[in-house]
Amino acid sequence: MTERPESDDRPQTPESAPVPTPPAKPAKPAAPAAAPTPTPPAAAPSKPATPATPANVVPQATEGAVPAPAGPAPSAPVVAPAQPAQSAPTQTAPAQEAAKPALATPESVARAKQHGRADENGTVYVTVDGEEHECGQFPNATEDEAIAYFARKFDDAEAQVDLLEQRLAAKAPTTDMRKTVEHVREQVAARGMVGDLAGLSTRLDALDVAIGEAETREKEEQQKAKAEQLAHRTAIVEAAEKVAGQDPEKTQWKHSSERMGELFDQWKAHQRSGVRLSKSDEESLWKRFRKARTTFDRHRKAFFSKLDETNAKAKRAKEALIAEAESLSNSTDWGPTASKYRDLMDRWKASPRASRKDDDALWSRFRAAQDVFFDARKAANEQIDQEFEANLVVKEELLAEAKKILPVKNLDQAKKELAAVQARWEEAGKVPRAHMRRVENELRAVEDAVKKAEDDQWRRTDPETKARSNSMLTQLENKIADQKTAIEAARASGNEKKAATLEKDLATSEQWLATLQASASELN
């Protein structure tokens, strides 16, 4: 089987008196697909050209040919030197089966016959726009087999066009689509297949337009995606710059460090999966992002370096306070030492804090030193309290006696009884600390009641107070008499409104008079 080459200028051997040609170089082994070897059609043959020998066929010897050396028959078909044309080449059955090419289906053959034909020599032609073109030759085959071989080529090309149309309909990327279209165009232009080449060319033209539109759409989508990616990256950079621009003294470093880490992860994710930006945009944004991260790290290091220095200074100051507290822990001078511990506590509160871990450990040491002293004082006080239990019994009895003085009826008698209790109170001595405040407050309540009774009696018997009370009574009585006279005069003149006002003033004056008279009665 042969195919028509694009051009061939080789002269044809005259039909009469065939001349043997020298042996040609051995042909290369046939490809697995066993593609047919193209041969040129005869320029003006007087009879049909003899088909060329396939690559895997061994031709028989003819007159004038150089005989092949005798030897054992090969186990598989071999490539023989080119020989002059012969009328009846032979081929072994295994070689024929191995060289059998892929053919089109009967349906494809039926469609191909509408656009081409095959002659009795196996030469296949295709008709395009009313003009017949030779595709090639498939010798030693039926007409359908010859057409099926070249129809299969058309089916393959059409399948590529179908696939391109499906990919465009699915909005697949247009990468390499134009290369495929150009490749199929070259196959159509070569006229080396049988089928509706004009229709296929029309579909290729439509594909060119559709691919152009798809490329335009992809470009717009790419630009849109790039703009969105640029906006996302810019937002990441601005957020990082905002974090880096915080006041280091007010920054929450844990939260800010986590935020900066999240932004860096977002940057890497966009780099991996997002649309690639232009080199200038990529470099510009990365420089800003890197600068923000560097600034943040520098501020953080400076802050914690300063914090470490502050913590170390605070630690030294508190260790000095601990040393003082520990030096006082074994003191038995309870009062002054407790005062010193209160002063140490005030200084502790005023000193700066160290790191949380150090500060907790320092406080435990300081507290332990205090506990030693105050636990010892508590134990000493408990021992003293046991010794003062008897004194408490005595003072409870004195309190019961003092409370009998109330209420005060005879001031002089009450003062004598209270003085006797107070004298024995001091002689009774100290009581346990837990009861000291209570018993002192109860005795003071009795003392306050007697003092109040004494003050009340003095106010009642004070001569100055009596004189002042009598003077006020006289003035108020005179005023009431004048008000009564004015009321009578107003009524006599018929001025009832003035009389009513004067009566209100008179009622107030009479109430004051009754109050003063009651006070004067108590004083007398």
Side-chain angles (χ1 to χ4, degrees), residues 165-184:
E165 291 173 342
Q166 293 171 9
R167 289 177 63 192
L168 283 172
K171 297 184 178 180
T174 59
T175 307
D176 296 334
M177 282 189 180
R178 285 200 180 276
K179 287 184 179 180
T180 304
V181 170
E182 293 303 322
H183 176 66
V184 176

Side-chain angles (χ1 to χ4, degrees), residues 254-424:
K254 182 179 179 181
H255 173 74
S256 297
S257 297
E258 291 175 352
R259 177 59 175 156
M260 192 63 80
E262 291 172 358
L263 292 173
F264 187 51
D265 290 340
Q266 291 177 20
W267 177 277
K268 292 189 292 185
H270 279 287
Q271 267 192 330
R272 287 193 301 267
S273 60
V275 179
R276 295 193 63 177
L277 301 178
S278 64
K279 185 176 180 180
S280 59
D281 288 339
E282 184 83 27
E283 291 180 352
S284 175
L285 289 173
W286 172 245
K287 286 180 180 178
R288 288 174 59 190
F289 188 55
R290 181 176 59 191
K291 181 180 178 181
R293 295 178 67 225
T294 302
T295 301
F296 177 79
D297 290 340
R298 186 174 66 251
H299 287 173
R300 180 176 58 184
K301 290 178 181 178
F303 175 83
F304 282 103
S305 176
K306 182 179 178 181
L307 182 63
D308 289 342
E309 183 180 350
T310 302
N311 289 343
K313 184 178 180 181
K315 184 177 180 181
R316 289 192 297 270
K318 289 190 173 180
E319 284 176 341
L321 295 176
I322 291 171
E324 290 186 48
E326 290 174 343
S327 67
L328 296 172
S329 61
N330 294 323
S331 174
T332 56
D333 193 3
W334 309 120
T337 304
S339 178
K340 291 179 181 179
Y341 270 116
R342 284 193 292 271
D343 177 63
L344 285 174
M345 178 60 75
D346 293 339
R347 289 161 58 190
W348 181 279
K349 292 178 180 178
S351 63
R353 288 181 60 86
S355 66
R356 182 171 184 178
K357 181 179 179 181
D358 290 340
D359 215 54
D360 290 345
L362 292 169
W363 169 251
S364 297
R365 290 174 57 193
F366 183 71
R367 187 71 178 177
Q370 291 187 94
D371 289 344
V372 171
F373 169 77
F374 287 106
D375 288 346
R377 189 183 69 166
K378 181 180 179 182
N381 289 335
E382 289 176 352
Q383 184 177 358
I384 294 172
D385 288 344
Q386 292 177 359
E387 298 174 357
F388 291 163
E389 286 292 337
N391 298 344
L392 177 62
V393 175
V394 174
K395 286 196 172 182
E396 292 282 7
E397 295 175 353
L398 291 174
L399 281 174
E401 184 178 339
K403 290 177 181 179
K404 293 179 180 179
I405 300 173
L406 303 179
V408 178
K409 296 179 180 178
N410 186 328
L411 181 60
D412 293 337
Q413 182 66 27
K415 290 170 68 176
K416 289 179 182 179
E417 292 177 356
L418 180 58
V421 170
Q422 288 173 334
R424 286 179 290 162

Side-chain angles (χ1 to χ4, degrees), residues 236-255:
I236 292 173
V237 172
E238 290 175 350
E241 289 173 339
K242 183 178 179 181
V243 174
Q246 299 178 99
D247 183 355
E249 298 298 328
K250 298 179 180 178
T251 300
Q252 296 181 356
W253 292 106
K254 182 179 179 181
H255 173 74

Side-chain angles (χ1 to χ4, degrees), residues 48-49 70-71 86 117 120 137 196 204 274 338 358 373 385 389 401 413 452 454 457 472 480 516 519:
Q86 51 192 352
R117 66 182 181 83
E120 66 276 7
Q137 193 176 42
D196 186 6
L204 289 172
D358 290 340
F373 169 77
D385 288 344
E389 286 292 337
E401 184 178 339
Q413 182 66 27
K452 183 177 182 299
E454 185 177 13
Q457 183 174 355
M472 291 179 65
I480 290 173
L516 288 175
S519 298

